[in-house]
Amino acid sequence: MTVGIRHDDLRRSNRAMVIAAVRRSGQPSRTEIAAITGLSNSTISAISSDLIAEGVLAQSRGGASPLKRGRPQIGLELDPRAAAVVTLVLSLNFLAVTVIDYAGRVVTEEQRRLDTLALPRAALADACVSIVRDRLRDPAVAGRRVLRIALAVQGITDSRARTMLWSPITPHTDIPLADVLEDVFGIPTTMENDCNMMAVGLRWRGTDRYRHDFIAMLLSHGIGMGIVLNGELFVGTHSSGGEFGHMIHRPGGALCRCGRRGCVEAYAGNYAIWRNAHGLGEDTPPADIGDADMKALADKARAAEGPEREAYRKAGEALGYGLGSLFALIDPAPVTMVGVGATAFDLIEPALRQAIARTAGGQHSGSISFDTEPDELALIREGCAMRALTFVDQEILAPGQQGQPAG
């Protein structure tokens, strides 16, 4: 019995390694998979044959480089028909859903506007159910096995990825959205912090910048952060992890949308920059400022000295002191700014670097590198998709289990 269990575990592990190699490499040949995984050519041949027969992988002629001599090698690719996953992104007044096939391509998608601050608890959950149900009824999804739902939300989720503990987008707390979706559709569901999913999306790009230690920072209506340390996503023991935007920048300072005062976000979020640029008091309630308005404000700040440019300076200062404090605890790491605020990073960066340099964490501030990624929705969706697809890879298809079709 023990030998049999060990054999099954080894088989599952080897199959998972082959699937992972194909997912990361695109259309590798069997020889290339052997080099990536360290498995023998005969083992690769046997596993790939089984996975092709099961409809997990397919053969492709696109696996070999045109610069290589000799007969073109046959590559392997993920069969898009093997499975599908759903990604759901819930943020302030916005809901987006995408059905993605096993190869990572979009099958169908939809976006809706809703008043998240005003919706009752049940109505917010119903909105998530409604948009998912409509996409699963799309003829393009017919016949596909939808095996996972990954929901990303602004705010704090529990470490079990089931419940939205708190979010600035709604006055309600402890909403078990993953359980609601799972009960309705019978599809395993997880709920993740949106900034954590940004970090997962960057991690899957496979470049040296996103290999070991890096930070994804959201600069949008809210300020958030996803942290990867030693190649692993940082999460808390009880919650989804760090809430950088709600660290205190100035005790008793400007009103934050979380209800507290002096948070980093109360100086660097879209509403905070808008508030300062227009001379509004620090007690002015946060407002939902559109992307177009923020881009116009940034253009005005670039054009001349004035309150607009000063507002971005204050934002950079708040972000810089916060990052400097963080880098006093961990080594400085590459930072990628994500969201509409990233398009104005040229206005933020000077004050940000100056503030970091004044902190203990800024001793090596010159070596801290920044990059920008303006499309936060695409990156969050990418992270959700990869989190869901790798679950399907490792927990369903690698063991050879059969998933259930979408209802």
Side-chain angles (χ1 to χ4, degrees):
M1 176 66 71
T2 302
V3 173
I5 292 174
R6 288 177 178 172
H7 179 269
D8 287 345
D9 288 345
L10 179 62
R11 172 181 176 273
R12 170 177 176 165
S13 175
N14 289 346
R15 282 166 59 99
M17 289 171 65
V18 171
I19 295 171
V22 176
R23 185 168 296 286
R24 282 199 173 275
S25 303
Q27 296 179 348
S29 67
R30 289 168 175 79
T31 301
E32 290 166 336
I33 294 173
I36 293 169
T37 62
L39 300 174
S40 68
N41 288 328
S42 60
T43 299
I44 297 296
S45 179
I47 291 175
S48 61
S49 295
D50 288 345
L51 292 173
I52 290 170
E54 294 168 20
V56 177
L57 300 182
Q59 296 190 131
S60 168
R61 291 279 179 181
S65 166
L67 298 179
K68 294 180 181 178
R69 295 183 178 182
R71 176 185 296 179
Q73 298 187 59
I74 296 175
L76 295 176
E77 62 185 4
L78 301 167
D79 191 327
R81 300 165 296 180
V85 299
V86 175
T87 69
L88 192 62
V89 180
L90 176 62
S91 58
L92 180 67
N93 298 332
F94 181 78
L95 185 61
V97 67
T98 309
V99 179
I100 296 173
D101 69 24
Y102 189 60
R105 306 185 190 104
V106 173
V107 177
T108 182
E109 59 185 329
E110 182 180 351
Q111 299 178 5
R112 294 179 184 175
R113 300 292 299 181
L114 64 164
D115 189 347
T116 57
L117 290 170
L119 282 178
R121 174 192 297 265
L124 189 63
D126 289 345
C128 294
V129 169
S130 173
I131 196 171
V132 171
R133 178 181 286 120
D134 287 350
R135 287 308 92 212
L136 292 181
R137 288 173 174 171
D138 189 314
V141 183
R144 297 180 185 267
R145 296 189 302 159
V146 180
L147 301 182
R148 193 75 166 174
I149 299 174
L151 164 63
V153 298
Q154 283 184 0
I156 303 173
T157 67
D158 69 316
S159 59
R160 295 175 53 248
R162 311 300 302 167
T163 302
M164 183 168 69
L165 301 176
W166 172 85
S167 174
I169 72 171
T170 175
H172 309 294
T173 59
D174 301 319
I175 307 177
L177 290 176
D179 290 338
V180 170
L181 290 166
E182 201 166 288
D183 289 345
V184 171
F185 299 107
I187 301 171
T189 303
T190 59
M191 183 164 55
E192 313 279 359
N193 170 266
D194 57 350
C195 293
N196 283 352
M197 291 302 96
M198 293 187 327
V200 170
L202 292 172
R203 181 82 171 80
W204 268 91
R205 297 189 175 180
T207 64
D208 287 342
R209 179 179 179 83
Y210 303 120
R211 195 172 304 281
H212 299 295
D213 300 338
F214 68 89
I215 290 169
M217 178 179 287
L218 179 65
L219 302 184
S220 187
H221 187 74
I223 302 296
M225 180 178 286
I227 305 174
V228 170
L229 298 176
N230 298 319
E232 297 293 332
L233 183 69
F234 171 78
V235 294
T237 56
H238 300 289
S239 70
S240 51
E243 276 293 308
F244 177 85
H246 300 290
M247 291 169 55
I248 296 300
H249 172 53
R250 290 182 181 172
L255 179 65
C256 181
R257 63 176 177 156
C258 73
R260 302 180 184 89
R261 289 185 171 275
C263 299
V264 170
E265 183 181 295
Y267 296 88
N270 285 357
Y271 66 86
I273 296 172
W274 183 270
R275 183 166 61 189
N276 286 331
H278 289 83
L280 303 176
E282 291 189 340
D283 294 336
T284 304
D288 183 9
I289 310 301
D291 289 356
D293 288 332
M294 289 305 299
K295 289 176 180 177
L297 184 69
D299 288 340
K300 193 170 182 180
R302 292 187 186 98
E305 285 286 355
E308 296 83 10
R309 188 175 294 181
E310 176 63 14
Y312 281 101
R313 189 199 66 76
K314 288 182 178 179
E317 182 180 70
L319 294 169
Y321 281 128
L323 280 173
S325 297
L326 178 62
F327 291 150
L329 300 175
I330 64 173
D331 288 338
V335 181
T336 296
M337 301 295 185
V338 183
V340 65
T343 63
F345 189 61
D346 57 309
L347 297 166
I348 292 171
E349 184 177 11
L352 182 151
R353 285 193 177 275
Q354 290 170 12
I356 290 178
R358 297 188 189 108
T359 69
Q363 296 180 48
H364 306 288
S365 59
S367 64
I368 300 171
S369 64
F370 294 96
D371 199 1
T372 58
E373 184 68 47
D375 194 342
E376 66 187 85
L377 177 60
L379 189 56
I380 294 169
R381 184 176 72 181
E382 183 178 344
C384 284
M386 297 317 301
R387 177 59 63 92
L389 288 168
T390 52
F391 173 88
V392 173
D393 292 345
Q394 297 169 9
E395 303 298 329
I396 299 178
L397 298 183
Q401 300 172 7
Q402 295 298 311
Q404 298 297 317

